Amino acid sequence: MGERLRERSQELTRAELEIMQIIWSKGACFVNDILEQLPEPKPAYNTVSTVVRILEKKGYVDHKAYGKTHEYFPLVDRDTYTQSFMSTVLDNFFGGSASRMVSFLSSNKNISAEEANEIMAMLKKQRRINTDNRIKAAAVEVFAEYGYERAQLSYMSKIAGISIGLIGQNFGSKQELFMAV
């Protein structure tokens, strides 16, 4: 699903996002189901139908046809969209700096120090997971090409763009890394 989202250059409008939230929560639904979930004053059926077709054109949803009726379902999951959207916000407004974003939120949205620390801990954990995944991907490539005996951490380091020290810190040894992949 991540690949599909990268192909999309258009962000969702407020109306599209409101409808996507409903589609994500239901999994699959008809236009009438969406309409029922929208707050008052409810838009016209044709308005909702048009927005859903726009979402389909943008590649966020698809449908199954049952005669003249269409059941819509998401092609992009909520987490994938959220990650892409927040990554764009982080890059465009905070120069890619998570700490600048947390600082902004804490000063403008009354986030407590505890919440800011939780956010930073989550970001560090995610960074570690991303790093581990890059190391594992590089290790798979090196082990496949050279075999276990000839595989060198320096090759993995070069492919992953990560220092040998960080590979050792995260996995300890070549054997532990081999067992992890």
Side-chain angles (χ1 to χ4, degrees), residues 102-122:
V102 170
S103 175
F104 171 82
L105 291 172
S106 64
S107 64
N108 291 295
K109 293 294 182 184
N110 296 325
I111 292 178
S112 69
E114 183 179 319
E115 287 174 311
N117 289 336
E118 286 176 23
I119 292 169
M120 290 306 292
M122 285 188 281

Side-chain angles (χ1 to χ4, degrees), residues 87-165:
S87 189
T88 300
V89 168
L90 188 66
D91 291 341
N92 290 340
F93 294 98
F94 303 102
S97 169
S99 59
R100 282 182 42 202
M101 183 175 77
V102 170
S103 175
F104 171 82
L105 291 172
S106 64
S107 64
N108 291 295
K109 293 294 182 184
N110 296 325
I111 292 178
S112 69
E114 183 179 319
E115 287 174 311
N117 289 336
E118 286 176 23
I119 292 169
M120 290 306 292
M122 285 188 281
L123 290 169
K124 284 179 184 174
K125 180 181 177 186
Q126 189 58 50
R127 186 176 294 139
R128 167 87 187 236
I129 290 168
N130 292 346
T131 299
D132 285 358
N133 288 340
R134 284 176 40 210
I135 292 168
K136 287 177 184 179
V140 166
E141 188 176 325
V142 170
F143 287 137
E145 186 171 336
Y146 297 100
Y148 177 79
E149 293 301 321
R150 292 188 13 215
Q152 299 290 321
L153 291 180
S154 59
Y155 301 155
M156 296 172 208
S157 169
K158 192 172 191 175
I159 291 169
I162 296 170
S163 72
I164 293 174

Side-chain angles (χ1 to χ4, degrees), residues 3 16 24 35 66 74 80 82 88 100 104 109 121 128 136 152 157-158 170 176 179:
E3 291 298 317
E16 291 166 350
W24 283 323
L35 201 51
Y66 300 99
T80 302
T82 302
T88 300
R100 282 182 42 202
F104 171 82
K109 293 294 182 184
R128 167 87 187 236
K136 287 177 184 179
Q152 299 290 321
S157 169
K158 192 172 191 175
N170 287 19
E176 288 179 48
M179 298 304 286

